Amino acid sequence: MTTHAATEKQITGRQVLRGAISGQRGHVSFAALGFSAHQAGEAVVPVLIGVVIDQAIGADGSGRLFLWLGILAAVFAVLSYSYRFGARAAERAAEQAAHHIRLGLAARVLDPRGGAESGRLPGELASLATGDAQRVGAFNRALPYGIAAVAGVVVTAVALLRESVPLGLLVLLGTPPLLWLAHLLGRPLERRSEAERDRAANASGVAADLVSGLRVLKGLGAERVAVDRYRKTSQESLAATVRSARAKSVHDGGMLALNGIFLAIVALVGGRLAAEGSISIGALVAAVGLAQFLLGPLTNLSWVNSEYAQARASATRIASVLSAPPAVQPGTEKFDGPVRGEVALRGVSHAGLKDIDLHAAPGELLGVVAPDPAIAVALLECLGRDVDPVTGTVEVDAVALSSLEFGEARGALLIAAHDADLFEGSLIGNVTSNGDGAERALAAAGADEVARALPEGVDTVLTERGRSLSGGQRQRVALARALAADPPVLVLHDPTTAVDAVTEAGIAEGLREIRRGKTTIVVTTSPALLSVADRVVVIEDGKVSAQGSHGKLAAEHAGYRTAVLT
Amino acid sequence: MSQQLLPTATPKRTRQAVWELLRLDRGFAVVAFLVLLAATGVGLATAPLLGRIVDLVVERSPVGAITLPVVLLVIAAIAQGVLMGVGTNFVAQVGERMLARLRERFVERALRLPLEQVERAGSGDLTARVSDDVTVIAEAVRNALPALSRSLLTIVLTLGGIAVLDWRFLVAALLAVPIQLHTVRWYARNAGPMYARQRIAVGAQQHQLLDTIGAGKTVRAFRLADDHIDRVRGKSQIAVDVALTAAKLWTKFYGRLNLAEFVGLAAVLTAGFLLVRDGDVSVGTATAAALYFHGLFNPINVALALVDDAQAAMASLARLVGVAETPPPAEPEKPAVPADASVTASGVHHAYHEGEEVLHGIDLDIRPGERVALVGASGAGKTTLAKLIAGIHSPSSGTIRIGGAPLEDLGPAGISQSVVLVTQEVHVFAGPLADDLRLASPDATEADLTEALDRVGALAWVRALPDGLDTVVGEGGHRLTAAQAQQLALARLILADPPIVILDEATAEAGSAGARVLEGATVAALAGRSALIVAHRLTQAMAADRVVVLDDGRVVESGTHTELVAAGGHYATLWQAWSDTRQNV
């Protein structure tokens, strides 16, 4: 359908991640500096303990004691404050990078060219903008630790090699295989425990699912069955978590033993070298200490590595949305003068529509009956320019929608979908941003009644996506919003499916009244709405198969009667 | 709307409940503790063994002499690894078993809570408890509990070790404690509200994203993109700001702990200086004390940082225990048995809130096997009446009888055996489709399931699913359309096979074309049952045995479709609007 995909620039996950880092490089560098200083401070503390014992306690110098305690205090101040400011900078880098990605994603999804949502559920997109954005940002938190760890490893290596080349080499060459061994030890268990963690998570998933279906369970009287079933899930999940805890204990215990054995080997080699007199005792103590210290930065490095893998995966998912091919491209034309509201489909073919011609005169209230719901959706997609039809054109006032600027096209012709979503905010704020014509629109849509039933009337704040209202109430408020927008052409899709028959009859009259003189197309099978239409067209097999008034069609057209009146 | 949250247990009651859960695993818990204790003890042997090697070198012992301490180091390492592995595994097992018992009891009680109480609390309350609170506790059991027990043991044993060297070292080391206590109290005081604010900010951001992204089409159609980007920016910025303020708090927390570390270390070193000067201890002992204290830095930080998690877990526990200890709704001692499938409402009044009566004296009879359609405008009281008959609320006054027996005498179990309520809220339970259906009838055979699906016209699409009846549906599985979900609800109804059915808006949300498929399914599902149908489409009313028109909480008309159309009243006007055949001018 889109021939524009090739022109859209492709964004890769690598670019998203690099952008997130370079956008925050000041904070990341500052954090790396802070963490390095903190790490150095941590490493110096045990050395200073040795110095205090050597210089003051062993030598009985009270003056020196105070001097060295003072220095110790200074070191603590440096390590503490460098961590504090480093961590804050890292936090800022992480949060802000996630924030920018979030806004970028929202902007892409809302881009008038569309296309970002295709094939993705809304929840999935939202979780990209929260979870995945956060994970990409989190790499900015990990990276400074990684830089500091590299610095720590280099400094340790130099220090070790200066003390003794063989001992230094033993520690430096021994540590990476140790970590690799740990990784190896952990991998099969990790893989197994991941599957088991999933099963463990299942227990809470099932519980949440049962609770959210509580009304259905109660309606069926199925509480006992559900409880029994949950108990079984919970026990399975318990067995799985116990297995995965066992795997984790084996890994942790193994790591502890390996570390201890490595330390013993360093002590053995160092002790022999010292006993032979090739290194000093100081060098032996330093080597043992540094071997222990080195594990810290190296473990950090492997953590940074796993954060990187996660961030890359998230960045790739984000990139695929950011570079999703647009569904349609904007045109350049504008209407000259006010829009009269003449709508024409000329030879349109698209997903079930077959070379269809359809016309609505300015000011006409046109009913469209499409017994096949897929046809109705295809028609609305073409009218709303969510897609461009494979062949044919959709025109308003004889100008093709595809040649118009987005603002012009959507300003002239408004589609109010069947499941039109409301937003968090006051009821009146949902209907109109400036209050124009709200009262009339509310009354016409029967939404004034909705407002009266709410504690604070039209000022009542609706929750996310208007969920605090019932389906019928939501539908009426959404209809009021479409009416208040007062566009030259309004296309409504099944606007009253969740509304009771009494109210629906009122809405039909209100709709006719408020849209007088403006073009309105109602795609519906509701007889109440069709009976107020100036003209009704029936679309069967992708083409207009009949037209006339509701009364005439109901009397003469058997297919119409089946679709509308039974 | 007065919101009344579900009960929360007092701290005392919560502790008791934890203790009761633990008691069942008492023996195991004691063994776990002892093994961890042994592991920590062995771990403390490393430092003296390394010291011994240094001593041997200083004493110029033969090169071979260091072999023994090295071998001991290796043995200690292996022993510590094994013991720590076994110990943490035991702790995890005890914790997981407690968690499983707690969540099972919670779910059991939660599902038996009267719907009225759940609705008063707001639908989010129970859901938040079952997902968020259980997760918080599970995290605490899985991560915090093992780390905390290891750290605490290390701290206690190390302090013991310092005391053995010389009790005055212990006194010096404890100088850090007041600062640590003060820090933890300060942090706990500030962190609670801070994390609550953060949760709210992140939640609001998430809501906004769902709001905006989920409605991308609407936002584009109404050209609201700029406004929505601003909304997202605003909510996201607040979440960022709160996270940064939280970072300030916890970095300060660690800063204060650094101060405590310095004070303690300086005190131990000074004590060493004084004790060595007075000849009370050797330089080696003073070194050991200082190194022991340095070894405490990490476990103390770990333990204190977990105070926060522990607090959160206790708060979550209180919410779970509160529900788990709610007594189940009382069943009558001798439940009445309905004589037939009739429903009688006499003089039923109902008000959700004092003084706001929505039903004003309803009298309604449904004969066994009769299908009655309830017609009326929104707010006329249709849904309220449906809920009263289904036993979800009790009428403020008047009685409802099923087969001659008042609802109170039937009890919750008796009512649900006789009446099934199908509402517009369809829920597909996550899991294999067959399991979803068997909720209604646990012992149904595959043939029963197939027959029920066939009767509601769902068999074709179920057969076409990747794994047929075993296809995993619902959250995280194969997604069903709204119409399919409703067909499933009707199939469950057939399987539950109640004598009386109440249908409330069961076909409302599917869109008008889907509605027709469902109407056929509904007719099939209702065959042979008494039914009260809250009708939206008048075709539903037309197909019913009798139509009852409700207006402002009163029954205003009652009769067959034909009678009411002929009577020229309320219903006739409505029907006119529907079937209107006038020519447009």
Side-chain angles (χ1 to χ4, degrees):
Chain A
M1 261 168 280
T2 101
T3 49
H4 316 288
T7 64
E8 196 60 16
K9 88 173 173 272
Q10 282 299 309
I11 302 169
T12 63
R14 190 188 292 272
Q15 282 170 319
V16 170
L17 186 53
R18 200 182 296 156
I21 298 167
S22 66
Q24 303 295 327
R25 58 180 171 267
H27 294 306
V28 170
S29 320
F30 185 82
L33 221 62
F35 289 155
S36 302
H38 171 250
Q39 186 178 249
E42 291 276 9
V44 165
V45 168
V47 177
L48 272 181
I49 292 176
V51 173
V52 171
I53 285 167
D54 226 30
Q55 302 271 316
I57 297 178
D60 187 15
S62 56
R64 283 198 184 147
L65 176 69
F66 290 119
L67 171 66
W68 284 108
L69 285 185
I71 292 174
L72 188 63
V75 167
F76 261 98
V78 168
L79 76 85
S80 187
Y81 278 97
S82 54
Y83 178 74
R84 178 181 298 196
F85 293 115
R88 288 180 190 176
E91 204 64 20
R92 187 173 289 275
E95 290 291 336
Q96 282 184 348
H99 175 71
H100 288 308
I101 290 174
R102 216 146 33 223
L103 290 182
L105 275 171
R108 176 60 194 93
V109 170
L110 301 184
D111 188 303
R113 293 170 305 161
E117 295 124 309
S118 65
R120 294 181 183 89
L121 295 167
E124 204 181 323
L125 281 168
S127 95
L128 278 176
T130 50
D132 287 288
Q134 213 68 35
R135 261 192 293 284
V136 173
F139 186 63
N140 277 347
R141 198 179 286 131
L143 186 59
Y145 280 105
I147 297 172
V150 170
V153 169
V154 170
V155 171
T156 312
V158 171
L160 269 172
L161 290 172
R162 280 185 46 163
E163 291 286 357
S164 151
V165 175
L167 204 51
L169 285 178
L170 171 69
V171 172
L172 289 178
L173 300 180
T175 318
L178 181 68
L179 286 169
W180 183 70
L181 217 58
H183 175 65
L184 233 54
L185 184 67
R187 210 168 42 181
L189 301 170
E190 227 168 71
R191 211 180 304 130
R192 215 181 78 194
S193 73
E194 205 166 292
E196 278 166 357
R197 249 200 314 274
D198 285 350
R199 214 168 321 149
N202 196 22
S204 64
V206 168
D209 188 51
L210 288 176
V211 165
S212 58
L214 187 63
R215 279 179 192 79
V216 177
L217 284 179
K218 293 261 176 198
L220 282 170
E223 296 99 318
R224 185 160 313 176
V225 183
V227 167
D228 290 346
R229 190 172 293 172
Y230 177 68
R231 189 161 289 141
K232 212 173 120 227
T233 313
S234 166
Q235 287 298 320
E236 276 168 15
S237 155
L238 171 63
T241 41
V242 166
R243 268 198 304 277
S244 96
R246 190 175 307 145
K248 190 175 174 328
S249 323
V250 168
H251 172 256
D252 291 358
M255 265 317 287
L256 206 57
L258 277 177
N259 266 343
I261 292 169
F262 178 61
L263 198 64
I265 293 171
V266 173
L268 176 68
V269 174
R272 292 185 84 97
L273 286 173
E276 285 160 5
S278 11
I279 61 168
S280 70
I281 292 176
L284 167 65
V285 174
V288 170
L290 289 173
Q292 282 299 78
F293 171 77
L294 198 55
L295 285 172
L298 285 173
T299 314
N300 267 352
L301 274 182
S302 66
W303 170 69
V304 172
N305 191 37
S306 78
E307 287 285 295
Y308 173 73
Q310 282 194 32
R312 263 303 291 275
S314 290
T316 306
R317 282 194 286 274
I318 289 166
S320 77
V321 173
L322 291 179
S323 54
V328 289
Q329 291 289 355
T332 50
E333 286 185 42
K334 293 186 174 201
F335 290 109
D336 28 297
V339 179
R340 289 179 302 119
E342 180 184 13
V343 180
L345 269 72
R346 292 186 203 284
V348 168
S349 296
H350 163 67
L353 294 175
K354 293 174 197 151
D355 194 22
I356 191 173
D357 289 311
L358 189 69
H359 182 262
E364 188 177 19
L365 175 52
L366 178 70
V368 176
V369 174
D372 179 357
I375 294 279
V377 169
L379 180 67
L380 289 159
E381 279 179 347
C382 292
L383 282 170
R385 219 187 154 223
D386 293 327
V387 297
D388 284 326
V390 183
T391 62
T393 54
V394 182
E395 295 170 6
V396 173
D397 286 4
V399 186
L401 281 182
S402 56
S403 66
L404 284 166
E405 286 181 4
F406 281 134
E408 285 287 298
R410 292 196 170 122
L413 186 151
L414 175 65
I415 305 274
H418 154 62
D419 51 357
D421 303 280
L422 300 181
F423 303 110
E424 196 170 350
S426 71
L427 190 153
I428 189 75
N430 263 288
V431 170
T432 162
S433 50
N434 51 23
D436 287 354
E439 215 162 299
R440 266 186 87 210
L442 283 169
D448 49 350
E449 208 176 272
V450 174
R452 274 198 294 277
L454 294 173
E456 284 155 65
V458 292
D459 296 319
T460 307
V461 173
L462 312 182
T463 60
E464 169 226 349
R465 305 191 77 176
R467 290 276 157 76
S468 50
L469 300 181
S470 78
Q473 291 175 320
R474 256 198 320 266
Q475 223 173 19
R476 285 184 268 169
V477 175
L479 177 60
R481 173 177 59 189
L483 296 177
D486 199 26
V489 181
L490 176 62
V491 182
L492 299 170
H493 183 208
D494 271 341
T496 54
T497 43
V499 176
D500 64 89
V502 182
T503 312
E504 191 183 26
I507 290 175
E509 285 306 325
L511 176 68
R512 181 167 179 80
E513 195 47 46
I514 198 171
R515 292 293 300 167
R516 193 174 292 280
K518 298 212 163 113
T519 315
T520 311
I521 301 175
V522 188
V523 182
T524 184
T525 54
S526 154
L529 293 172
L530 293 168
S531 70
V532 299
D534 295 320
R535 182 168 60 105
V536 177
V537 301
V538 184
I539 303 179
E540 285 170 317
D541 291 329
K543 284 182 179 284
V544 174
S545 64
Q547 58 174 308
S549 72
H550 171 64
K552 179 166 165 269
L553 288 169
E556 297 169 5
H557 196 289
Y560 183 78
R561 264 199 308 280
T562 321
V564 173
L565 285 174
T566 55
Chain B
M1 284 194 221
S2 63
Q3 217 186 18
Q4 199 181 337
L5 293 181
L6 296 169
T8 300
T10 60
K12 187 172 162 223
R13 196 53 221 127
T14 309
R15 279 193 298 273
Q16 274 172 3
V18 171
W19 182 240
E20 279 158 23
L21 287 169
L22 182 61
R23 234 183 22 204
L24 295 166
D25 267 324
R26 200 172 24 193
F28 212 70
V30 170
V31 172
F33 175 78
L34 290 177
V35 173
L36 271 190
L37 190 71
T40 315
V42 172
L44 290 178
T46 306
L49 283 172
L50 285 172
R52 178 82 195 120
I53 293 173
V54 173
D55 280 348
L56 287 172
V57 174
V58 174
E59 288 160 14
R60 305 199 170 279
S61 308
V63 172
I66 61 169
T67 314
L68 178 66
V70 167
V71 169
L72 287 177
L73 268 178
V74 171
I75 293 173
I78 294 172
Q80 197 196 2
V82 170
L83 289 171
M84 199 57 100
V86 171
T88 41
N89 182 22
F90 281 11
V91 170
Q93 282 196 38
V94 173
E96 292 288 349
R97 279 209 286 267
M98 284 171 66
L99 179 66
R101 274 197 290 272
L102 177 66
R103 69 181 172 220
E104 283 166 29
R105 227 168 69 192
F106 173 80
V107 167
E108 189 197 327
R109 288 297 150 81
L111 294 187
R112 297 217 167 127
L113 285 174
L115 209 47
E116 204 167 0
Q117 195 179 357
V118 176
E119 281 178 356
R120 252 204 321 271
S123 62
D125 191 15
L126 194 58
T127 313
R129 290 185 197 216
V130 80
S131 46
D132 302 349
D133 289 330
V134 170
T135 309
V136 166
I137 297 172
E139 289 281 312
V141 164
R142 258 155 234 164
N143 304 325
L145 187 65
L148 192 63
S149 36
R150 273 203 306 264
S151 300
L152 285 179
L153 280 174
T154 310
I155 293 167
V156 170
L157 286 188
T158 310
L159 288 178
I162 292 177
V164 167
L165 294 176
D166 190 299
W167 64 271
R168 283 164 286 193
F169 281 125
L170 180 64
V171 173
L174 291 180
L175 280 182
V177 171
I179 304 176
Q180 284 159 342
L181 280 184
H182 178 263
T183 303
V184 167
R185 224 175 284 148
W186 163 83
Y187 184 65
R189 208 170 42 238
N190 290 291
M194 169 63 72
Y195 288 125
R197 262 171 58 204
Q198 192 166 13
R199 268 195 302 276
I200 292 169
V202 170
Q205 171 197 284
Q206 176 118 9
H207 271 173
Q208 185 60 56
L209 284 164
L210 273 172
D211 218 21
T212 293
I213 289 178
K217 220 168 161 173
T218 308
V219 172
R220 280 197 295 275
F222 284 87
R223 291 182 293 163
L224 296 170
D226 291 344
D227 172 45
H228 272 263
I229 298 273
D230 281 346
R231 287 179 182 214
V232 170
R233 181 181 292 119
K235 293 277 165 60
S236 173
Q237 190 62 55
I238 292 173
V240 168
D241 292 344
V242 176
L244 294 182
T245 320
K248 262 190 187 156
L249 189 69
W250 58 258
T251 49
K252 262 189 202 157
F253 172 69
Y254 283 114
R256 292 186 183 194
L257 290 185
N258 285 149
L259 177 67
E261 285 169 357
F262 170 72
V263 168
L265 187 56
V268 170
L269 286 172
T270 309
F273 173 78
L274 294 174
L275 291 172
V276 169
R277 192 185 61 187
D278 296 349
D280 288 349
V281 302
S282 71
V283 176
T285 309
T287 312
L291 289 179
Y292 269 146
F293 190 77
H294 181 247
L296 278 178
F297 286 6
N298 251 333
I300 287 180
N301 283 353
V302 168
L304 294 184
L306 289 175
V307 165
D308 205 32
D309 290 8
Q311 256 191 339
M314 277 312 273
S316 290
L317 258 174
R319 282 192 288 271
L320 291 195
V321 171
V323 169
E325 305 213 319
T326 319
E331 298 277 349
E333 275 181 28
K334 266 196 189 160
V337 181
D340 55 27
S342 69
V343 176
T344 320
S346 37
V348 169
H349 290 256
H350 192 66
Y352 288 103
H353 308 290
E354 199 81 30
E356 293 172 38
E357 204 174 80
V358 284
L359 293 181
H360 316 287
I362 300 278
D363 292 307
L364 177 71
D365 282 305
I366 303 174
R367 292 187 303 277
E370 188 185 26
R371 275 174 303 159
V372 174
L374 208 52
V375 175
S378 313
K382 302 184 302 267
T383 296
T384 305
L385 183 59
K387 280 182 170 173
L388 291 180
I389 295 177
I392 287 171
H393 305 294
S394 301
S396 312
S397 68
T399 11
I400 293 168
R401 289 191 170 79
I402 287 183
L407 284 184
E408 312 82 86
D409 296 351
L410 288 170
I415 296 175
S416 61
Q417 273 166 25
S418 315
V419 186
V420 163
L421 170 71
V422 181
T423 62
Q424 70 171 325
E425 187 183 349
V426 286
H427 182 86
V428 177
F429 291 94
L433 195 135
D435 283 4
D436 180 297
L437 291 173
R438 285 204 175 98
L439 278 172
S441 165
D443 306 320
T445 63
E446 198 165 319
D448 296 336
L449 303 186
T450 317
E451 200 210 318
L453 288 170
D454 191 26
R455 277 171 64 189
V456 297
L459 194 56
W461 62 257
V462 170
R463 286 241 164 97
L465 289 177
D467 299 310
L469 272 172
D470 297 325
T471 309
V472 173
V473 291
E475 191 72 41
H478 186 92
R479 292 208 167 240
L480 301 183
T481 66
Q484 289 174 335
Q486 276 171 339
Q487 277 176 309
L488 215 53
L490 291 168
R492 282 194 297 247
L493 173 64
I494 290 176
L495 288 164
D497 198 22
I500 301 163
V501 177
I502 297 164
L503 275 179
D504 185 5
E505 308 194 333
T507 58
E509 290 270 28
S512 45
R516 221 156 296 105
V517 178
L518 285 169
E519 269 163 32
T522 310
V523 171
L526 294 185
R529 305 175 210 287
S530 315
L532 182 69
I533 303 151
V534 176
H536 265 216
R537 291 173 64 87
L538 291 184
T539 45
Q540 290 175 306
M542 198 165 70
D545 298 324
R546 188 154 54 96
V547 178
V548 171
V549 182
L550 219 56
D551 188 34
D552 196 22
R554 289 184 178 84
V555 174
V556 291
E557 285 170 36
S558 169
T560 65
H561 169 77
T562 334
E563 283 166 16
L564 292 185
V565 170
H570 223 88
Y571 184 79
T573 320
L574 266 184
W575 181 251
Q576 184 69 20
W578 253 66
S579 56
D580 199 354
T581 48
R582 79 191 143 133
Q583 300 292 320
N584 278 299
V585 201

